[in-house]
């Protein structure tokens, strides 16, 4: 558990090193509102301009929502969490929560900025889905009054809550634009090919037997490989074999990068032509039989989009209202917040 958090903390530290952090205490305002649990727990007005991302102002309410989210997540996975305890390399759990909340805010700001740049908006279906979701909340909490009380317990206004919910759908619409052939965001074919080659992507139909099966599993793997290699309709036979093994058999196979496969599997899979059946591939984890497939470019584009988002987020310029941000103690804020929620 702790090793996993250390890796997460390291990624946040690296991202922080790539971001230009600038004090903007003399520029950003401290707000006027004094309503809500976030103000009671932090002393920071919810409409205070806490930071900017590439010039877009982020108010304290949005940031504190994500800070509370991170704190809740940490406490659910780390028993008796002390936010002042060191997580990794001088970073405490509290400083990790603050930094990770900044990363989430940056992601949402990036999506808003891309949506404006590329004229992306939610569809009518998206808007209907949001309305349906709201009505489900109202029904679940026993009416409009109960729903509003739940928002008060969260510490945020309905406008902020709606904005956050819209971002999930906006992410999907921007992804759709990126992967749409010929769109303003769609990468060139040369870029796609270069990315796939650099990452060692391959698409295969896969059968797998865990090492715990012993000699019987190995024998079955060899039998299946032999039958597949001589079958006229390899796809139909593969589907039957996958069902027998309890493996989900997709029509296009599965796409992997060299990093996720490891050297042995990567070398074996990349050597296959479309339709070619591998010999049994033995690893410490078990035995594999693969059928080569034409590279599934849509899966490559999905990975390219994720990497593009990550890279773009790391390059954003962040300016802080240093006087407010520096005095914010994550552990103290979360303790006060949960006490008031109770």
């Amino acid at each position: 558990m702790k090793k996993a958090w250390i890796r997460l903390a390291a990624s946040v530290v690296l991202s922080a090193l790539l971001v230009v952090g600038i004090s903007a205490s003399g520029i950003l305002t401290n707000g006027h509102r004094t309503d809500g649990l976030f103000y009671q727990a932090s002393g920071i007005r919810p409409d205070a301009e806490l930071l900017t991302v590439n010039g877009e102002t982020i108010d304290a309410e949005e940031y504190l929502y994500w800070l509370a989210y991170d704190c809740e997540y940490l406490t659910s996975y780390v028993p008796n969490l002390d936010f002042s305890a060191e997580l990794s390399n001088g970073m405490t759990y509290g400083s990790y929560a603050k930094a990770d909340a900044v990363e989430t805010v940056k992601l949402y700001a990036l999506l808003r900025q891309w949506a404006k740049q590329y004229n992306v908006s939610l569809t009518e279906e998206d808007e209907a889905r949001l309305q349906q979701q709201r009505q489900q909340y109202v029904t679940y909490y026993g009416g409009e009054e109960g729903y509003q009380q739940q928002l008060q317990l969260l510490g945020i206004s309905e406008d902020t809550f709606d904005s956050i919910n819209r971002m999930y759908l906006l992410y999907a619409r921007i992804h759709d634009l990126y992967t749409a052939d010929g769109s303003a965001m769609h990468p060139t074919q040369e870029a796609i090919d270069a990315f796939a080659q650099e990452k060692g992507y391959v698409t295969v139909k896969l059968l797998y037997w865990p090492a715990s099966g012993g000699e019987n599993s190995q024998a079955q793997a060899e039998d299946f490989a032999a039958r597949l290699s001589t079958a006229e309709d390899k796809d139909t036979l593969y589907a039957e074999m996958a069902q027998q093994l309890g493996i989900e058999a997709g029509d296009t196979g599965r796409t992997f990068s060299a990093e996720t496969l490891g050297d042995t599997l990567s070398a074996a899979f990349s050597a296959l032509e479309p339709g070619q059946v591998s010999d049994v591939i033995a690893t410490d984890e078990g035995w594999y039989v693969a059928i080569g497939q034409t590279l599934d470019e849509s899966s490559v584009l999905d990975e390219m989009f994720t990497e593009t988002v990550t890279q773009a987020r790391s390059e954003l310029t962040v300016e802080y209202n240093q006087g407010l941000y520096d005095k914010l103690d994550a552990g103290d804020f979360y303790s006060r917040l949960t006490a008031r929620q109770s």
Side-chain angles (χ1 to χ4, degrees), residues 111-112 115 120-122 166-174:
L111 295 179
R112 289 190 291 265
V120 179
S121 59
L122 299 188
R166 295 178 72 85
M167 286 299 104
Y168 296 106
L169 298 175
L170 189 62
Y171 184 95
R173 299 290 78 79
I174 293 174

Side-chain angles (χ1 to χ4, degrees), residues 253-294:
R254 297 178 59 189
T255 302
F256 303 92
S257 68
E259 182 181 10
T260 58
L261 288 173
D263 293 340
T264 300
L265 293 177
S266 177
F269 292 174
S270 61
L272 295 174
E273 297 292 335
Q276 182 181 356
V277 179
S278 73
D279 295 328
V280 175
I281 308 163
T283 70
D284 292 339
E285 293 78 28
W287 297 271
Y288 295 83
V289 173
I291 306 175
Q293 304 290 302
T294 301

Side-chain angles (χ1 to χ4, degrees), residues 58-306:
I58 308 298
D59 62 37
E61 186 173 63
E62 180 180 352
Y63 174 80
L64 292 173
Y65 173 84
W66 290 114
L67 180 59
Y69 180 94
D70 274 299
C71 290
E72 182 177 2
Y73 186 84
L74 284 169
T75 54
S76 67
Y77 280 93
V78 182
N80 303 314
L81 176 63
D82 177 2
F83 281 94
S84 64
E86 182 176 345
L87 173 59
S88 174
N89 299 325
M91 172 176 275
T92 65
Y93 284 96
S95 57
Y96 165 79
K98 288 182 65 176
D100 193 62
V102 170
E103 292 303 303
T104 303
V105 166
K106 285 165 57 183
L107 172 61
Y108 279 32
L110 176 65
L111 295 179
R112 289 190 291 265
Q113 291 162 21
W114 274 351
K116 183 177 180 180
Q117 179 182 351
Y118 295 104
N119 196 28
V120 179
S121 59
L122 299 188
T123 65
E124 291 182 2
E125 291 78 8
D126 290 333
E127 297 290 354
R129 180 179 173 184
L130 287 170
Q131 289 300 316
Q132 182 183 30
Q133 182 185 63
R134 186 188 188 281
Q135 186 55 50
Q136 288 173 342
Y137 285 138
V138 170
T139 301
Y140 181 81
Y141 291 114
E144 187 68 34
E145 182 178 353
Y147 174 57
Q148 294 299 328
Q149 288 176 346
Q150 288 302 313
L151 291 177
Q152 291 174 13
L153 283 174
L154 282 177
I156 60 175
S157 65
E158 184 169 5
D159 285 344
T160 299
F161 186 62
D162 288 346
S163 176
I164 289 169
N165 287 329
R166 295 178 72 85
M167 286 299 104
Y168 296 106
L169 298 175
L170 189 62
Y171 184 95
R173 299 290 78 79
I174 293 174
H175 170 271
D176 290 345
L177 180 66
Y178 184 91
T179 57
D181 190 20
S183 78
M185 290 191 79
H186 189 73
T188 64
Q189 189 61 51
E190 291 76 12
I192 297 171
D193 293 341
F195 181 84
Q197 183 175 4
E198 177 190 355
K199 301 294 185 180
Y201 278 101
V202 292
T203 301
V204 295
K205 289 188 173 181
L206 198 60
L207 300 173
Y208 168 66
W209 294 260
S212 58
E215 294 181 357
N216 289 337
S217 289
Q218 183 179 4
Q220 187 181 56
E222 292 171 350
D223 175 59
F224 278 21
R227 290 165 56 195
L228 274 171
S229 64
T230 58
E232 291 186 7
D233 187 349
K234 292 180 173 56
D235 290 336
T236 298
L237 181 56
Y238 166 78
E240 294 172 358
M241 291 175 170
Q243 183 177 21
Q244 184 176 338
L245 296 172
I247 296 171
E248 184 175 349
D251 292 336
T252 59
R254 297 178 59 189
T255 302
F256 303 92
S257 68
E259 182 181 10
T260 58
L261 288 173
D263 293 340
T264 300
L265 293 177
S266 177
F269 292 174
S270 61
L272 295 174
E273 297 292 335
Q276 182 181 356
V277 179
S278 73
D279 295 328
V280 175
I281 308 163
T283 70
D284 292 339
E285 293 78 28
W287 297 271
Y288 295 83
V289 173
I291 306 175
Q293 304 290 302
T294 301
L295 181 65
D296 182 4
E297 197 168 277
S298 64
S299 295
V300 176
L301 277 170
D302 287 342
E303 294 300 324
M304 285 188 74
F305 178 69
T306 300

